[in-house]
Amino acid sequence: MDVVAAASPNIYLQDLVSFGRGILRQGIVIQDATVKNSSLPVDTFEILLIDNSVVYKNARDIRVLDRSHLYAGQVVGSACDITGQIGVVTGVTTLLDLAEVDNRGMATGIIKGVSPSSLRRVRSLNLGDFVVSGPWLGRVVEVSIDVDILFDDGAVCRVNDANVTGGNPRSLFKTARWLNGYWNPRRDVGTVLKVDTSGVLVYWIASMHCGTDKELVEASAPPAYQHPDDLTFFCAACICSWGVADHCFFRAPSSTKTNDDNGDLACAHDQEKEDEDEEEDEEEEDQCSEKNQGVIYADQEAPIAHTVPPTPTKQNAVIFYRKQLRKVFFKGHRRKRHQQIRRHVEVEFPMTVASTITSVDVLWQDGTLQHGIPSANLVPFGMVNEQEFLPGEHVIENGLSFDTAADTNGEHNGATRRVGIVRSLDCKDQTVCVSWFKAEMCNDEAREVECIDTMSAYDLQLNYSPYYGDIVVRLMQSELTNSNVDLSWVGRVADLPDGHVQVRWADGSMSKVSPHEIIVVNEEHYMELWTEMGDWLEDDGIDEEIANTDNDLQNPADYSDVENDDPAETMASHLGLVVQSSHPLTGDMVTNRQPPLSSLVPSSEVHAATEQIAAAVTRNIVDVECHDFATCSCDESFSFPRFDVLQITPEDHHYIDDASKEMQGGSRGKNWAKAVQKEWQILENSCAETIYVQVFEGRMDLLRVVMVGASGTPYHHGLFFFDLQLPSSYPAEPPQVYYHSYGLRLNPNLYESGTVCLSLLNTFDGEGTELWSSVTSSLLQVVVSIQGLVLNDQPYYNEAGYETLVGKPEGRRNALPYSENAYLLSLRTIIHVLRRPPRGFEEFVKDHFRRQGRFVLTTCDACLRGCVVGNAHATEASKEQPCSAGLKLALANMLPILVAAFTEIGAQGCEEFKKLYALSTAH
């Protein structure tokens, strides 16, 4: 089957690509950018060929042929329109071209269009496989391999646990078990005759009786170490797919029953019977090779040296292939010292995958189901915003009520929220068509649709339910099924008809169930599961002792002279001017989890950079004033101290109960106290006018900081509170920082749990100047970094890895919706702060929004009129990307609540908005 190469703007790992004509000039992408710590040129890829050799090619020299790595449930986009709508893969069909290769690595024949259902793998079980043992479902996290090696004189040895590479093969053979003949130091080359899985380590994840409850599963699960004969193969991991250079055998005609066209559910027992028969033959017959071949270890496959018949018809494909597949016979030799008479041995060599041809069924966001799309016309779309929805997903309304029903994190009680199913989504307008279910329906009743509404994507939240490709289990009573053979309790989601779930069960049956009848199995990467279990081969399950790390806290920095004008203080004073916008300075610099400006800019250049920022801030303020706007810093009547020392520590401080006796007393020593006093002095003298700090005499280790969102960002006019604690080892270690999130995730660096993810705080990976330094880092750098680099105008690119999307279509597609959602979450944060302000800042919050409330409303109104998020003064020329219809719908729901909240505290200038956006009784 010939495949026409398709040009693709992106190349992904495991893509089948070509760089010329013929199967020897095509392979799969296995790595890009770096190989063995050596940098490659940009857009250069490492490609694995059919003969297991590797070549390096530039992106301009290769074309994508196929993407067999796509799987059901994966989100994809169109290769020719990455900025358009996305979809979900509902089905995948792959056909393989199989080749035979001679001992020179040359293909001697091709069988085209072979279905994986007619093949079996070289190894019965591989890493990541899902396996069943009676009523238990598990994942294979470690595999022990035995390899039989044939030498040219007919000797055969078995290398147990052959997961080794390199080293001296002679010493490896010496310790092996010799099935035929004896060890001879002259034997150093041979041919892999058989690869057998001798044992596996299984992480049990579910059962038909316990579901996926981790504690119940662990308490009653079978032993982790299992023999493959005691397990039934269910399916491979979704990331495991057929690709070039993979090896396989044809399945016997009696064992061709599989779960689907990709051969997921193999009849493991039939395969095991074949293996047993082969092993019996090997023990009875002598084996030898006509030519010497290099030893191939467990991570390699045997070379192929036989011819292939022409392509047969589909009706008798399996039988034809099986009969015509040539067997190589080896004639035994008699030895003078140990005479042995052996019969001829039949050896079957595996086939090699030369090419893949994959077609995909996709359900697009607009509700269109498209069948048979060539996989090269699609691209994986792994970076999906929270407000992206797909048909068939269950959603609930984002609670906009801010009464006492809200929980402690600010989230509204979801018991009264409507539940519905997505019918379609308009990715340009960010609007979703939802079928809402009747609220009075019980879980065990068939859900009826009450109405169909068009909603803003920002007013919806995903309500996790079974989806395409998910592995699911259903609870079954033990007396109703024979748990030893029954496989009707574990399966994969095949379709989602009318709010129900159609499941293809492991026994081959198909049925339609309600979502509440099944439980979704979390498909974690097998390495994460293996990490939880430990290395069973080396330490027999005993956790490896973790070495203590010494941060060298015995000699902290000497802060005896608080007045010392050292580089850290000088740099911190410059950083205090970074107030409203860091974008002119940062440019293309990735803002995600980056070090403070002090660690990025040499001290000699800080002053010039500061002038740039100050100029940008000045321009921004002038623009605001010209449009009758004001900031807190422009109102002289606002007298709340920017730095204040209080005697009483607020009881709601996040770290108030974390203090040990050492923290509460004076046992920390003079150096620690002087270091803290120095930080206080820097904050008092250098803090920006939009940052307010409270410290406490009774608890010098605690601070509370509030910062005003910078104009020109989705966070402008908002208040963002942080609690800090200085450890006893400070400044050798960074402070702990907690963000008052009210249960909202409005930035990639600020989690709902309150975690602030920054390299500077050692809460994210970093190196060199990205990390905290006891010499140059300071608290001022922390707060300025949060305000300037985290709460910025393009928060989408703060997410780890997304910096590579700056200026690319994928980035532009997602950045604006993310900013719109961040803006709405900032408005919701305003409501929460007004309802429950942190102690010590109650009057500050009221005073701030009494003056700024009308500007918040004006900005919302400007967005409804078409201005882009973060700029209420956009001109016609700047409206190339106006606010989406989804944002306008969400703002229309939000504005009445904001107006009521600002009116309640007596905010100035809200009268006109009160007339336009009166709060309905529904709220």
Side-chain angles (χ1 to χ4, degrees):
M1 181 177 295
D2 295 330
V3 181
V4 178
S8 175
N10 294 308
I11 298 173
Y12 300 88
L13 294 180
Q14 300 185 53
D15 276 359
L16 174 64
V17 297
S18 69
F19 50 92
R21 297 180 62 86
I23 63 171
L24 296 182
R25 290 177 176 83
Q26 67 184 40
I28 57 171
V29 177
I30 58 175
Q31 196 168 6
D32 59 356
T34 60
V35 176
K36 296 181 180 178
N37 300 323
S38 298
S39 297
L40 288 175
V42 178
D43 293 332
T44 298
F45 297 89
E46 182 181 6
I47 302 172
L48 176 67
L49 306 183
I50 186 176
D51 60 356
N52 280 315
S53 63
V54 172
V55 297
Y56 303 97
K57 296 293 179 181
N58 190 274
R60 66 176 178 270
D61 300 324
I62 59 180
R63 296 173 67 84
V64 177
L65 295 177
D66 193 59
R67 291 191 168 110
S68 62
H69 53 84
L70 299 180
Y71 57 88
Q74 186 174 16
V75 179
V76 295
S78 173
C80 60
D81 185 17
I82 297 180
T83 62
Q85 66 174 337
I86 59 178
V88 59
V89 174
T90 61
V92 179
T93 301
T94 299
L95 297 177
L96 308 177
D97 289 351
L98 302 180
E100 291 187 312
V101 182
D102 61 21
N103 57 358
R104 297 173 300 169
M106 301 297 295
T108 60
I110 298 291
I111 302 177
K112 295 189 175 183
V114 179
S115 171
S117 62
S118 62
L119 304 173
R120 63 180 176 87
R121 303 180 299 180
V122 173
R123 301 178 184 177
S124 59
L125 293 176
N126 291 318
L127 291 173
D129 283 352
F130 288 82
V131 293
V132 177
S133 176
W136 300 97
L137 175 68
R139 296 286 303 278
V140 175
V141 297
E142 195 162 276
V143 179
S144 181
I145 300 295
D146 291 348
V147 177
D148 292 354
I149 300 176
L150 172 69
F151 297 90
D152 61 347
D153 60 357
V156 179
C157 74
R158 174 167 296 171
V159 179
N160 295 320
D161 190 20
N163 295 312
V164 293
T165 58
N168 186 352
R170 295 179 181 178
S171 61
L172 186 67
F173 298 151
K174 183 176 181 180
T175 58
R177 174 189 171 192
W178 288 87
L179 305 179
N180 184 35
Y182 301 91
W183 174 73
N184 188 326
R186 291 192 297 270
R187 296 192 190 102
D188 56 359
V189 293
T191 301
V192 169
L193 183 65
K194 182 181 179 182
V195 178
D196 187 34
T197 304
S198 59
V200 294
L201 187 69
V202 180
Y203 186 104
W204 301 106
I205 56 178
S207 80
M208 69 163 66
H209 307 310
C210 306
T212 57
D213 187 292
K214 187 173 181 180
E215 293 184 359
L216 293 178
V217 169
E218 290 181 351
S220 54
Y225 181 80
Q226 294 283 322
H227 192 278
D229 293 345
D230 300 327
L231 302 173
T232 300
F233 171 77
F234 171 51
C235 67
C238 64
I239 60 175
C240 181
S241 59
W242 290 99
V244 168
D246 284 345
H247 293 251
C248 58
F249 294 101
F250 281 103
R251 192 180 299 279
S254 62
S255 60
T256 57
K257 181 180 179 181
T258 58
N259 195 17
D260 54 30
D261 291 337
N262 291 322
D264 270 350
L265 180 59
C267 292
H269 297 299
D270 291 340
Q271 179 171 328
E272 291 163 4
K273 187 177 184 303
E274 293 177 14
D275 295 340
E276 291 174 1
D277 295 340
E278 292 175 4
E279 185 172 352
E280 290 176 0
D281 293 340
E282 290 166 9
E283 293 177 353
E284 296 176 357
E285 299 174 348
D286 187 22
Q287 304 168 344
C288 63
S289 175
E290 296 178 353
K291 294 183 178 181
N292 290 344
Q293 304 210 23
V295 174
I296 303 175
Y297 294 100
D299 59 338
Q300 298 177 294
E301 304 291 354
I304 303 169
H306 53 282
T307 57
V308 187
T311 305
T313 60
K314 293 184 179 179
Q315 288 78 3
N316 60 356
V318 175
I319 299 176
F320 184 88
Y321 293 150
R322 188 70 181 180
K323 288 182 177 179
Q324 295 298 319
L325 191 62
R326 179 170 169 239
K327 309 293 174 62
V328 181
F329 293 88
F330 296 99
K331 186 176 181 180
H333 295 271
R334 292 188 176 183
R335 303 187 182 185
K336 294 180 179 180
R337 302 174 68 178
H338 302 281
Q339 294 186 359
Q340 298 179 4
I341 300 177
R342 299 280 183 174
R343 293 178 307 200
H344 293 169
V345 178
E346 185 180 87
V347 180
E348 179 183 5
F349 287 96
M351 306 291 289
T352 303
V353 176
S355 184
T356 58
I357 307 95
T358 305
S359 59
V360 182
D361 301 335
V362 177
L363 179 60
W364 298 102
Q365 282 182 314
D366 62 4
T368 303
L369 178 60
Q370 190 174 358
H371 296 278
I373 305 174
S375 60
N377 294 344
L378 302 170
V379 293
F381 207 95
M383 301 176 179
V384 181
N385 287 337
E386 290 184 1
Q387 67 275 4
E388 294 274 14
F389 299 100
L390 295 162
E393 289 184 328
H394 287 228
V395 292
I396 57 178
E397 286 183 295
N398 267 333
L400 289 178
S401 299
F402 297 87
D403 52 22
T404 55
D407 63 24
T408 57
N409 287 326
E411 286 297 280
H412 190 265
N413 188 345
T416 60
R417 299 187 196 177
R418 291 192 296 175
V419 179
I421 187 170
V422 174
R423 298 171 61 91
S424 63
L425 177 141
D426 189 319
C427 65
K428 301 297 183 183
D429 286 343
Q430 295 298 314
T431 55
V432 186
C433 181
V434 181
S435 294
W436 295 108
F437 298 123
K438 289 184 178 180
E440 65 273 11
M441 303 304 295
C442 299
N443 286 336
D444 57 351
E445 295 179 353
R447 290 190 167 183
E448 297 182 12
V449 175
E450 181 178 40
C451 62
I452 299 176
D453 285 341
T454 298
M455 305 286 296
S456 167
Y458 306 115
D459 286 339
L460 298 175
Q461 180 179 337
L462 187 63
N463 187 28
Y464 291 98
S465 59
Y467 205 57
Y468 291 100
D470 282 346
I471 296 177
V472 295
V473 298
R474 57 179 171 185
L475 299 179
M476 301 181 69
Q477 306 243 345
S478 57
E479 60 268 15
L480 298 180
T481 178
N482 183 350
S483 60
N484 292 326
V485 296
D486 184 77
L487 293 174
S488 63
W489 58 276
V490 57
R492 301 196 81 146
V493 175
D495 200 4
L496 300 169
D498 302 323
H500 291 80
V501 184
Q502 191 167 353
V503 182
R504 181 183 290 109
W505 301 104
D507 62 356
S509 63
M510 184 97 71
S511 66
K512 186 167 64 174
V513 298
S514 297
H516 71 273
E517 297 181 65
I518 54 180
I519 304 173
V520 177
V521 175
N522 185 20
E523 192 169 348
E524 297 180 64
H525 194 279
Y526 70 87
M527 285 301 299
E528 296 179 3
L529 302 177
W530 179 86
T531 302
E532 294 184 24
M533 301 184 72
D535 190 350
W536 64 282
L537 287 178
E538 294 185 2
D539 55 20
D540 196 24
I542 302 175
D543 293 335
E544 184 176 353
E545 183 178 358
I546 301 175
N548 293 327
T549 57
D550 189 355
N551 292 319
D552 193 19
L553 304 180
Q554 302 300 322
N555 300 303
D558 185 8
Y559 286 89
S560 57
D561 186 4
V562 179
E563 302 296 330
N564 181 34
D565 188 15
D566 60 11
E569 183 174 355
T570 303
M571 198 171 294
S573 64
H574 289 311
L575 286 169
L577 297 176
V578 184
V579 182
Q580 304 253 337
S581 175
S582 62
H583 188 67
L585 172 64
T586 58
D588 291 334
M589 181 182 68
V590 180
T591 58
N592 175 43
R593 303 167 175 87
Q594 290 297 315
L597 296 180
S598 62
S599 60
L600 294 173
V601 184
S603 57
S604 60
E605 300 177 12
V606 169
H607 185 69
T610 304
E611 290 181 350
Q612 279 187 307
I613 299 174
V617 172
T618 303
R619 289 194 301 271
N620 208 352
I621 293 177
V622 170
D623 180 60
V624 169
E625 292 176 343
C626 290
H627 291 80
D628 194 28
F629 275 70
T631 63
C632 294
S633 59
C634 298
D635 193 341
E636 297 181 357
S637 63
F638 187 68
S639 58
F640 194 89
R642 288 190 292 110
F643 182 86
D644 198 8
V645 181
L646 304 179
Q647 294 187 5
I648 301 177
T649 306
E651 296 181 357
D652 64 338
H653 196 287
H654 181 73
Y655 297 106
I656 193 169
D657 295 327
D658 294 349
S660 63
K661 295 180 179 180
E662 177 189 11
M663 292 179 177
Q664 298 183 26
S667 59
R668 291 190 176 191
K670 295 181 180 180
N671 287 341
W672 183 88
K674 290 181 179 180
V676 174
Q677 292 173 1
K678 182 176 182 178
E679 293 284 7
W680 288 6
Q681 187 177 26
I682 294 174
L683 290 170
E684 183 176 10
N685 296 333
S686 305
C687 246
E689 294 183 350
T690 52
I691 297 177
Y692 299 82
V693 181
Q694 286 184 351
V695 297
F696 314 101
E697 288 185 354
R699 288 291 301 275
M700 292 181 63
D701 60 308
L702 303 183
L703 299 89
R704 174 161 283 175
V705 178
V706 60
M707 55 189 67
V708 182
S711 61
T713 72
Y715 311 106
H716 60 284
H717 301 305
L719 295 179
F720 305 93
F721 287 86
F722 299 85
D723 287 347
L724 286 76
Q725 183 183 37
L726 306 181
S728 58
S729 57
Y730 188 85
E733 293 183 2
Q736 297 184 73
V737 181
Y738 172 82
Y739 166 60
H740 289 260
S741 69
Y742 297 95
L744 304 176
R745 179 88 182 271
L746 47 71
N747 189 282
N749 299 77
L750 306 177
Y751 288 74
E752 299 97 322
S753 62
T755 299
V756 180
C757 195
L758 278 175
S759 298
L760 181 62
L761 300 176
N762 291 352
T763 52
F764 189 77
D765 293 337
E767 57 184 15
T769 57
E770 296 175 353
L771 301 174
W772 176 269
S773 169
S774 61
V775 178
T776 59
S777 301
S778 67
L779 292 179
L780 180 62
Q781 293 175 3
V782 172
V783 296
V784 169
S785 295
I786 293 175
Q787 187 188 48
L789 300 180
V790 174
L791 300 173
N792 60 22
D793 60 340
Q794 295 279 318
Y796 173 76
Y797 300 109
N798 284 22
E799 188 63 62
Y802 286 16
E803 66 274 8
T804 60
L805 301 179
V806 175
K808 293 184 178 181
E810 304 98 308
R812 290 192 294 269
R813 181 192 187 279
N814 287 342
L816 180 60
Y818 191 95
S819 292
E820 289 185 344
N821 191 50
Y823 175 55
L824 291 168
L825 294 177
S826 296
L827 296 178
R828 294 182 66 182
T829 300
I830 290 175
I831 302 297
H832 286 300
V833 169
L834 284 168
R835 294 290 185 266
R836 300 198 318 277
R839 294 189 182 182
F841 283 93
E842 294 88 347
E843 290 304 316
F844 169 82
V845 170
K846 290 182 180 179
D847 288 343
H848 174 79
F849 288 113
R850 284 193 188 109
R851 291 171 293 102
Q852 299 299 319
R854 65 187 180 103
F855 302 129
V856 174
L857 299 176
T858 301
T859 303
C860 293
D861 185 67
C863 289
L864 288 176
R865 290 185 284 105
C867 292
V868 296
V869 170
N871 186 0
H873 326 294
T875 63
E876 292 299 324
S878 65
K879 294 182 181 179
E880 297 179 0
Q881 285 186 308
C883 294
S884 67
L887 176 64
K888 295 176 182 179
L889 285 174
L891 282 176
N893 295 330
M894 177 72 70
L895 267 170
I897 302 175
L898 285 169
V899 171
F902 291 148
T903 301
E904 183 179 346
I905 63 173
Q908 306 168 3
C910 294
E911 293 76 12
E912 56 179 307
F913 298 102
K914 189 175 181 179
K915 297 177 183 179
L916 292 174
Y917 307 105
L919 184 64
S920 66
T921 56
H923 294 283

